[in-house]
Amino acid sequence: MILASSSVVRAKLLKDFGVQFIQKPIDFDEDSLQTQDPKEFVYLAAMGKFQAALKQWGTQEPILAADTVVDVSGALQRKPSTQAQAQEFLKAQSGKHIQILTCIIYRSAKLEFIDIAATKYVLKTFAPKDTEQYLLSGDWRNKAGGVMVEGFHKSYIKSQIGLESTALGLSVEKILPFLEII
């Protein structure tokens, strides 16, 4: 299977679940998408990556593509491009309910699977000192909304509904049954 992604976290998730794959980054311009609706954006971005992967590698190998965004009160948060934007995103998340949306698209010779999943978190208010340290660490880079549920955000989670793997960028548990029949 080809994982059409450069994400270290997605690759780690697949390895942790024992899935064999070859990771091949795909080039897709997410900035070309015109929507600010989080659910629509995550679907269109994942589909764009998937279609670019099909064009580049064909249909000989199974392909898995994904995208993840954060929804804070209906506002779309993608990967922050600057520390200032990461700070803005964190300020909007602090003490709030957030949803992390992941869309996965998988296609093999036998099937095509598309899923959009959400993991919902209620967060405590972030301590300014912790936020400053997180911003300076740069760990927010390449994270949708700057969210790191396995790191900075972990101690601020009051409640969670949904799979952590969805929040990390790949709902592996949902795709596993389909991988076994191939």
Side-chain angles (χ1 to χ4, degrees), residues 2-182:
I2 295 172
L3 172 60
S5 172
S6 60
S7 170
V8 174
V9 176
R10 286 189 182 112
K12 182 181 181 327
L13 281 167
L14 288 174
K15 285 177 188 170
D16 289 350
F17 279 88
V19 177
Q20 293 183 1
F21 65 96
I22 298 169
Q23 188 169 17
K24 295 184 179 182
I26 193 71
D27 188 30
F28 174 71
D29 180 16
E30 292 180 15
D31 292 331
S32 68
L33 300 176
Q34 299 299 309
T35 185
Q36 289 299 306
D37 178 82
K39 189 174 182 180
E40 184 179 17
F41 185 94
V42 78
Y43 170 76
L44 293 173
M47 184 58 74
K49 292 174 185 180
F50 177 73
Q51 289 172 341
L54 280 178
K55 187 176 181 180
Q56 186 165 348
W57 301 304
T59 58
Q60 298 304 311
E61 297 290 327
I63 294 175
L64 176 63
D67 195 68
T68 302
V69 299
V70 176
D71 176 340
V72 181
S73 302
L76 172 66
Q77 291 186 346
R78 296 172 47 203
K79 294 176 186 170
S81 55
T82 64
Q83 184 174 324
Q85 187 177 40
Q87 184 173 22
E88 232 178 86
F89 285 175
L90 293 173
K91 183 178 179 185
Q93 297 164 15
S94 183
K96 303 279 177 28
H97 294 240
I98 69 169
Q99 287 191 97
I100 301 175
L101 302 166
T102 293
C103 179
I104 56 175
I105 302 175
Y106 174 79
R107 183 188 215 178
S108 71
K110 295 183 180 182
L111 71 100
E112 185 169 328
F113 176 86
I114 300 173
D115 181 71
I116 299 176
T119 298
K120 299 175 183 183
Y121 292 99
V122 176
L123 301 174
K124 300 174 198 170
T125 301
F126 304 151
K129 183 180 177 184
D130 291 346
T131 303
E132 184 179 334
Q133 287 176 347
Y134 180 55
L135 289 167
L136 291 173
S137 75
D139 290 343
W140 50 269
R141 287 185 178 90
N142 295 314
K143 306 280 185 196
V147 174
M148 193 173 184
V149 296
E150 73 280 24
F152 170 78
H153 286 73
K154 189 172 191 153
S155 64
Y156 290 101
I157 296 171
K158 287 169 98 173
S159 67
Q160 171 184 330
I161 299 172
L163 299 170
E164 185 173 285
S165 63
T166 298
L168 293 173
L170 194 63
S171 307
V172 181
E173 296 91 335
K174 290 187 170 194
I175 194 82
L176 285 177
F178 299 103
L179 297 177
E180 294 171 0
I181 64 167
I182 293 166

